[in-house]
Amino acid sequence: MPATPAWPPASTPRLFVDLPLSIDASQVIDGPAAHYLLKVMRLKTGAPILLFDNRSGEWLASVADVGKRSLTVLVERQTRAIEQVPDLWLCFAPVKKARLDWIIEKATELGVARLQPVITERTIVERVRRERLEAQVIEACEQCGRTALPVLGEPVKLAQLLADWPTDRALLFADEAGGVPLSCVAAPAPAAILIGPEGGFTTRERDLLLANAMVRRIALGSRILRAETAAIAAISLWMARHGDWTDGA
């Protein structure tokens, strides 16, 4: 007998909607998302689409009605419950636009729970367009299959970050001056990684960090890494030891 084709097919579009989803719920999609689905994907009535709402998980829906600039979909069944990602934060000094986009995209794909911009003395980019970062987060989640968006914090100065730092969360400070290799550091969740600006931390900031009881100074090898490379390397090392990579999830 011929094999039954997988449903929904692997090519099914996947979209975030900021509304609660449930069986038989009807959802109107318009704006840029509708343009993509109608003009690029060329969806017709009956076509499948996967939706996730950052509340209840992922749902399979089908196109019920197609208009010129919008389409209506009907939710049929839940395909996945909302995920529980490891409790890892990425705290980072904002860098120039393209490199910042890359940090947001890859950190989201790797499964961080929170993205926290930190303003340091040598931070070049102090004004961050939140809408742009939110769009990067959503697009990355749509592409990689996440059902929960990472929390995006408001930019905060380093001194304030440390003053408010929770006493149960290790802060792994990537210090270009050296430290313990991250692969040797036992820092399970809850934990956070701090990546500095392109010019590194100042002496005053380093002293402030090392005075905090929750800070652990780590090293990421013998070479000098760009900020975005350091962020992704550190997340990967942590996930391999303490995150959901260890159980094959």
Side-chain angles (χ1 to χ4, degrees):
M1 295 179 63
T4 303
W7 192 263
S11 59
T12 301
R14 192 168 183 274
L15 191 69
F16 167 70
V17 292
D18 193 14
L19 289 170
L21 296 171
S22 59
I23 294 176
D24 295 332
S26 180
Q27 176 73 49
V28 176
I29 299 172
D30 54 16
H35 176 82
Y36 171 75
L37 296 173
L38 294 171
K39 304 302 182 182
V40 179
M41 299 301 296
R42 299 185 180 278
L43 295 192
K44 306 296 183 184
T45 301
I49 181 172
L50 290 169
L51 305 174
F52 67 102
D53 59 2
N54 198 36
R55 298 173 176 86
S56 59
E58 180 186 81
W59 300 77
L60 176 64
S62 60
V63 178
D65 183 65
V66 174
K68 289 185 177 180
R69 295 183 178 83
S70 66
L71 64 161
T72 303
V73 300
L74 182 65
V75 178
E76 298 178 354
R77 61 180 172 87
Q78 188 179 44
T79 53
R80 285 192 293 155
I82 193 164
E83 65 185 316
Q84 297 297 319
V85 298
D87 190 4
L88 176 68
W89 298 358
L90 175 65
C91 304
F92 60 94
V95 291
K96 294 177 183 178
K97 185 170 65 174
R99 298 186 187 279
L100 178 58
D101 290 349
W102 199 82
I103 290 175
I104 297 298
E105 177 184 90
K106 301 310 176 187
T108 299
E109 289 179 14
L110 291 171
V112 300
R114 182 183 179 91
L115 295 161
Q116 179 59 62
V118 181
I119 307 303
T120 69
E121 292 182 27
R122 292 175 176 164
T123 298
I124 297 174
V125 181
E126 294 192 6
R127 297 188 63 183
V128 177
R129 288 182 55 196
R130 184 178 178 86
E131 297 80 4
R132 181 183 179 85
L133 299 190
E134 288 175 342
Q136 291 291 334
V137 165
I138 290 171
E139 184 175 347
C141 287
E142 290 174 343
Q143 292 294 322
C144 75
R146 282 189 66 161
T147 59
L149 305 179
V151 175
L152 180 60
E154 294 291 341
V156 60
K157 291 187 176 181
L158 178 62
Q160 189 62 53
L161 178 82
L162 294 174
D164 297 335
W165 194 255
T167 57
D168 63 343
R169 183 178 299 273
L171 178 57
L172 305 176
F173 157 44
D175 189 355
E176 65 272 16
V180 178
L182 178 52
S183 58
C184 300
V185 175
I193 293 166
L194 173 62
I195 302 296
E198 293 162 314
F201 293 100
T202 65
T203 299
R204 180 170 59 178
E205 289 174 329
R206 183 175 287 106
D207 292 343
L208 186 64
L209 282 160
L210 296 178
N212 188 297
M214 299 310 297
V215 170
R216 302 184 189 181
R217 187 166 65 166
I218 61 169
L220 297 172
S222 60
R223 287 170 290 279
I224 297 175
L225 305 179
R226 285 185 179 272
E228 67 273 17
T229 308
I232 304 313
I235 294 170
S236 300
L237 286 168
W238 190 92
M239 285 290 182
R241 184 169 185 188
H242 300 296
D244 52 12
W245 293 9
T246 58
D247 58 9

